[in-house]
Amino acid sequence: MPKKKKYCRPSWDEYFLKLMDVVGERSTCDRGRPGCVIVKDKRILTTGYAGSPVGLGHCDEIGHEMQVVTENGVTSQHCIRTIHAEMNAIAQAAKFGISIDGATLYIKFTPCYTCAKILVNTGIKRVVAKVRYHAGKKTEKLFKKAKVEFNLIEDKVEKYKKQ
């Protein structure tokens, strides 16, 4: 009789990253479809995904709202119709009175610099990103200075489809 292969449970990071991917399936902008899960003591506190403000049209319905942005000397186009996944997760925590101080944030790609500053001020102590954001170097420097642990799972840059 063949030996049965031993089941290997996912690590906590693998588990929460898988959940983050599922949350991201709710995103209403096809530029990455990011999800976010905020966790403390191995318990989910809140989630978020990229989507327009409540009651307003979504990219998937009415198209992108593109804006030229220059970050770290690199000029690119960004969709500004949606609220970032991590901002939505923080907004949910605030709305329902959930403290995220000392928590870990799981996100599809390195947070943008604006989101990174907000994360530092909310007390997030650890950020786990699946892949890099193309303009994430400044974020990584900020996290280091602010003593926010940053873990990158896959050292590749997220690519968007051309608009």
Side-chain angles (χ1 to χ4, degrees):
M1 179 180 260
K3 203 173 194 181
K4 189 175 179 181
K5 190 174 178 181
K6 185 179 177 186
Y7 176 73
C8 184
R9 291 173 60 188
S11 70
W12 285 108
D13 282 353
E14 290 167 336
Y15 172 72
F16 290 122
L17 283 167
K18 285 180 183 186
L19 292 174
M20 177 273 305
D21 279 335
V22 171
V23 170
E25 291 176 10
R26 291 281 307 155
S27 289
T28 61
C29 182
D30 64 0
R31 292 177 58 85
R33 296 212 191 272
C36 175
V37 176
I38 300 178
V39 174
K40 189 170 183 180
D41 300 326
K42 301 176 186 162
R43 301 288 179 251
I44 297 169
L45 301 176
T46 185
T47 65
Y49 53 85
S52 296
V54 175
L56 300 181
H58 296 287
C59 296
D60 290 347
E61 301 163 351
I62 62 175
H64 296 286
E65 184 179 348
M66 300 304 288
Q67 179 177 338
V68 174
V69 177
T70 301
E71 290 179 290
N72 302 325
V74 176
T75 300
S76 59
Q77 285 202 347
H78 289 258
C79 178
I80 60 168
R81 184 172 309 286
T82 62
I83 300 166
H84 294 181
E86 53 272 65
M87 288 183 186
N88 268 325
I90 292 166
Q92 288 298 308
K95 184 175 182 176
F96 295 106
I98 300 166
S99 172
I100 58 174
D101 188 39
T104 296
L105 180 136
Y106 293 88
I107 189 75
K108 185 171 184 182
F109 33 78
T110 313
C112 73
Y113 191 59
T114 299
C115 285
K117 291 183 286 184
I118 293 169
L119 294 173
V120 168
N121 278 5
T122 63
I124 293 289
K125 292 299 178 202
R126 183 171 178 248
V127 173
V128 179
K130 193 171 184 179
V131 296
R132 288 190 192 283
Y133 171 52
H134 70 273
K137 293 280 187 220
K138 202 170 178 181
T139 290
E140 291 182 40
K141 288 178 184 174
L142 173 72
F143 285 160
K144 190 171 187 171
K145 284 182 184 176
K147 295 182 175 45
V148 173
E149 181 184 338
F150 178 68
N151 300 115
L152 182 67
I153 301 303
E154 197 175 334
D155 193 9
K156 76 174 197 177
V157 176
E158 176 71 9
K159 301 283 185 196
Y160 304 116
K161 68 178 196 172
K162 296 283 183 195
Q163 298 303 314

